[in-house]
Amino acid sequence: MNYTMNQEMEIDEYKKKAEQGNADAQCSLGDCYRLGDGVEQDYSTAFKWYRLSAEQGNSDAQYYLGLSYGEGAGIEQNLELAVDWFCKSAEQGNADAQWALGDCYRAGQGVEQDYSAAFKWYQLSAEQGNSDAQFCLGVIYQNGIGIDRSLELAVDWYRKSAEQGNADAQCCLGACYCLGDGVEQDDFMAFRWYQLSAEQGNSIAQCLLGDYYCSGQCVDQDYSEAFKWYQLSAEQDYSDAQLRLGVLYAEGLGVEQNLELAADWYRKSAEQGHEEAQCSLGDCYRLGDGVEQDYSAAFKWYQLSAEQGDPEAQFNLGSMCEKGLGVERNLELAIDWYRKSAEQDFEEAVEALKKIDE
């Protein structure tokens, strides 16, 4: 790896000062080794310099030492020591450490779970402008975690974070506008925030943006654009997008029809437990669309979907039980599944029950 002369001179200067005990230089040298900036990346050496600096009270080094322990970077992972160093740094007012400590209390990692403590540290960090902490405060207010629920305050904190470019907050703010949660419902504002988030790679926002293009809401209907956003999201393993991508391939919308690829994407989503995708994959096996016809496999995927409450899968499972496809014929079981589906007002199941009663 090639480094510039200026980088090498800068590293040499850091080393001289660090070896003389300068805490700031020790921390900066740790940064260089952690990032591979001017030197070959080396987490163990980064840890060494962070520790020397942290022991002198440098709050940035204390934070990065906590990260090292938390991630097991350059040292064996130790969540309790991560919390200890985050705490030392946070108590000096380090906003990043305050946010990290809030995360530890929220998740109960390295410390007993304590939502009140999480809120305290998130708030201290958020008030210093940390966008991650602002986003976390929004989540806490939206869900009423350890405090009274307030959608208005959730929107306020999401907005502060989103305006700093936090993609997760932008997505959540878009959802608030979409649903009218804590703010007047506004699909155009929802679209705007989803777009900003999607362009930064947020998989949920990418999928939701695809929905707008697919439906033609707020924008001209454009299946090719919908396909683009669904694909970006699906490739990040977001199951909703994988299902939608399968639908576009199956119907030839925005892309050339390809039943094999439709089945592939349904499978990726179904294997993550998505009930609609499980039902769609069951359809593929029942009809032989994109896969070899296999009633047993169809029954398997319908059952997984039906057990999660999908009414179409419940109807299809009832139909297979009634006809003895992929399973031994069982009219009593068929009626049970038809009834579950009919209770969700699935019309075909209602009709199936009527025919049986005739």
Side-chain angles (χ1 to χ4, degrees):
M1 187 176 293
N2 296 321
Y3 304 109
T4 66
M5 184 173 292
N6 285 340
Q7 283 180 311
E8 291 177 353
M9 290 175 63
E10 191 174 53
I11 297 298
D12 287 342
E13 187 65 23
Y14 284 150
K15 284 182 178 177
K16 287 177 186 177
K17 290 182 178 180
E19 287 166 356
Q20 291 173 20
N22 183 293
D24 291 338
Q26 290 168 338
C27 184
S28 295
L29 195 54
D31 289 341
C32 293
Y33 279 105
R34 177 175 60 86
L35 301 170
D37 185 8
V39 293
E40 187 174 346
Q41 191 175 53
D42 185 334
Y43 291 119
S44 296
T45 303
F47 177 85
K48 163 193 165 182
W49 290 112
Y50 282 143
R51 184 175 61 181
L52 289 169
S53 179
E55 289 172 348
Q56 293 193 70
N58 183 291
S59 68
D60 288 335
Q62 291 170 338
Y63 165 65
Y64 284 114
L65 197 60
L67 275 186
S68 298
Y69 275 117
E71 297 172 357
I75 188 71
E76 185 177 350
Q77 187 180 52
N78 188 317
L79 298 179
E80 289 76 15
L81 284 176
V83 169
D84 287 346
W85 285 108
F86 285 149
C87 193
K88 292 179 194 295
S89 180
E91 287 172 349
Q92 291 195 68
N94 185 293
D96 290 334
Q98 290 169 339
W99 162 65
L101 190 56
D103 269 356
C104 291
Y105 276 109
R106 178 183 55 81
Q109 291 188 332
V111 66
E112 186 175 347
Q113 190 174 56
D114 185 334
Y115 291 124
S116 296
F119 177 82
K120 166 193 165 182
W121 289 111
Y122 282 147
Q123 188 168 40
L124 286 169
S125 179
E127 288 171 350
Q128 291 195 71
N130 183 290
S131 68
D132 289 318
Q134 291 169 339
F135 165 68
C136 290
L137 269 189
V139 172
I140 284 176
Y141 273 117
Q142 185 173 23
N143 295 284
I145 302 171
I147 57 168
D148 291 335
R149 189 170 187 244
S150 172
L151 295 178
E152 291 76 14
L153 285 173
V155 168
D156 287 346
W157 284 110
Y158 284 148
R159 190 184 308 281
K160 291 179 194 293
S161 181
E163 288 174 349
Q164 291 195 68
N166 186 294
D168 292 334
Q170 290 169 339
C171 184
C172 286
L173 186 56
C176 290
Y177 274 110
C178 180
L179 300 171
D181 283 349
V183 68
E184 187 175 348
Q185 200 276 339
D186 188 329
D187 283 318
F188 288 96
M189 287 296 289
F191 178 86
R192 175 201 169 199
W193 286 110
Y194 285 148
Q195 186 171 38
L196 288 169
S197 180
E199 288 170 350
Q200 292 196 72
N202 183 286
S203 62
I204 297 174
Q206 289 170 337
C207 182
L208 293 169
L209 197 61
D211 288 345
Y212 275 92
Y213 281 107
C214 204
S215 66
Q217 186 177 9
C218 298
V219 291
D220 291 336
Q221 190 175 54
D222 187 336
Y223 290 118
S224 295
E225 192 70 9
F227 177 86
K228 163 191 158 183
W229 289 110
Y230 287 149
Q231 186 171 41
L232 287 169
S233 179
E235 287 171 350
Q236 294 190 67
D237 289 330
Y238 187 55
S239 63
D240 283 356
Q242 291 170 333
L243 167 66
R244 287 161 172 73
L245 200 59
V247 171
L248 294 188
Y249 272 118
E251 300 182 7
L253 297 173
V255 67
E256 186 177 348
Q257 187 181 48
N258 189 318
L259 297 181
E260 290 78 10
L261 285 175
D264 286 346
W265 284 109
Y266 288 149
R267 187 185 311 282
K268 291 178 193 293
S269 181
E271 288 174 347
Q272 292 194 65
H274 197 296
E275 67 274 15
E276 289 181 51
Q278 290 169 338
C279 183
S280 294
L281 187 57
D283 288 342
C284 292
Y285 277 109
R286 178 172 59 85
L287 300 171
D289 284 348
V291 294
E292 187 176 344
Q293 191 175 54
D294 184 334
Y295 290 128
S296 295
F299 185 88
K300 164 195 165 183
W301 288 109
Y302 283 147
Q303 186 170 36
L304 287 169
S305 179
E307 288 171 350
Q308 292 195 71
D310 186 277
E312 184 175 354
Q314 291 170 339
F315 165 74
N316 288 331
L317 200 59
S319 179
M320 297 191 82
C321 288
E322 183 182 7
K323 297 173 183 176
L325 298 176
V327 67
E328 186 176 344
R329 189 173 186 274
N330 187 325
L331 186 58
E332 184 178 346
L333 193 56
I335 291 171
D336 285 344
W337 284 114
Y338 284 149
R339 186 170 290 121
K340 291 179 192 295
S341 180
E343 286 170 354
Q344 297 189 66
D345 299 321
F346 193 77
E347 188 59 33
E348 290 176 76
V350 173
E351 293 300 316
L353 286 172
K354 287 180 181 177
K355 288 181 180 178
I356 291 173
D357 289 337
E358 289 175 355

